[in-house]
Amino acid sequence: MSTATTWAVALTGIVGHLVEVEADLSQQTPRFELIGLGDRALGEAASRVHNACKNSGLDLPPRRLTVNLSPASLPKHGSGFDVAIAAAALATQGTLDPASVARTVHLGELGLDGRLRPVPGVLPALHAAHRAGFARAVVPAANAEEAGLVAGIDVRPMASLAQVALLHGAELAEPVDLPPVRDPAPAPLREEVPELAEVVGQDEAVEALLVAAVGRHHLLLSGPPGAGKTMLARRLPGILPPLDDETAREVACIRSLAGERVVALERTPPFVAPHHSASVAALVGGGSRRARPGAIARAHGGVLFLDEAAEASRTALDSLRQPLENGVIEIHRAEFTASFPARFQLVLATNPCPCGSYGVAGEECLCSPAAIRRYGGRISGPLRDRLDIEIHVSRVSAAVATGAGRGRVSTAAARERVAAARARGTERWAGTPWSTNAQVPGTWLRQGSHRLPSAVSDPLDRALHRGALTLRGYDRVLRLAWSVADLDGAERPGAEHVGRALFLKKGLRA
Amino acid sequence: MASGDGVLVFVEVKTRRSLAFGHPFEAVDARKRERLWRLAHAWAASHPEHSRGKARRVDAIGIVGADPATGELEHLEDLR
């Protein structure tokens, strides 16, 4: 036997590609050659594999070893191929059972002492392996918890290369007993979702938050500093329905790729709040060779909150437009194209003007009208057009704030209402490609069986005639009206629902 | 150097007392192989009566053991 193969996984975005690792032993002077479009970290695998084998009591034959990673045209990066390379190399001479090695997917980096070190992206890699029909995978012991989240594949967490060799039927002179490498990343903190009832005196805004949660509508909160915009936004993930299996898995995959430690499938929707000075690369994600998920991808399934949105750079804000439209964020580089799922709910918060006092009772705004207009214009028209709800949050009066009363709606109650409303929507859109009101195209709502009677849509039609609404805005209000009706438990939107929707979108009274 | 079957074989013999400083074949690196081939061609050029019509080959023999007479012998054929 002079050739042997095994399998590893290369990741582009959260999509895993199975990579066949072939090793060939030829009767030539000793050399270790690694081919197949690897990056520098992969090129150094030769030294790690060499030393790890020696220190595990498994000597590589003193001949020329050629290791090829196939498909050879797919760029591969990182140190996660070490174990597969070592396994294939050792199987060429029959030290390891070649048949057993060929059936197994190997993931992990090797230490010089032969221990398996954790690698990022174990979850998406195992998922790809499972889908490709592999029944067994070897992962580093430190990734055991994350690997356990993939069902249907026999995962073998291993502490050292010697253990891997024993699995494949090697006979070791002396069993090497090494303590497993710990994952250096800290365990994820379980962030408590703040309680909605802590918000006092903002009943209108809380109600808008609920409507946004029902239809997954994007939201713009504007108001003076201290009005509680951030406070409201932080409470949105708590009232959203828990993530379904598929989304929870995608969220965990993205976290794993970002280098975070994943120990469980998190069901609470993520909340990502990048600073307003965030660059385009920080939002979109980047990297010259490997794609790292940015804030947009990390908010997948949850909420992307941009505080002080008017202070953010315009290019950064406009980078949101494509994922808002497609639910996917694509990273294009010379060497690769990666895409991450990005179906997030956008919440923007902004002050009404640079000084923050415009329109606030009892305060004097020092900004010139031109400055106020410029400030509002920082959020570009196309982006604003994608925001279904624009509400003004005003400061709470002293009497309400210091009163004994708490907010009327608790997180638990709100979540229940939202879940019930969401269920109504899901049932209605069953059999269509959409699941939430915000996704349904306007023609569907304006024509056909979901068309509202003209008596109900009358205020909308008048706003359209007046020019207060564009046709796109008209569609948005219709979608909102369905969400408001769902939240109310109504079969179809009535005039009062349309009126409320119009108010949420435009601040217009019907 | 050996000859037979229409092939002229140039053999590099390397001996190591133990594997403490690596396998003998590890000493036959790219530089050494190149030198062996240059040597083979040069020798063949200066001894046409022995080399005409014969293919050339470079081999390596590694011996590991304290005594070359009893050491473990490995033979690599056709280095390139």
Side-chain angles (χ1 to χ4, degrees), chain A residues 279-280 283-284 312-320:
Chain A
S279 65
V280 175
L283 285 174
V284 171
S313 86
R314 201 168 173 145
T315 47
L317 280 179
D318 282 348
S319 68
L320 296 169

Side-chain angles (χ1 to χ4, degrees), chain A residues 437-452:
Chain A
N437 296 336
Q439 295 168 334
V440 181
T443 43
W444 193 272
L445 296 172
R446 269 182 278 119
Q447 296 155 10
S449 62
H450 291 100
R451 192 186 161 165
L452 299 181

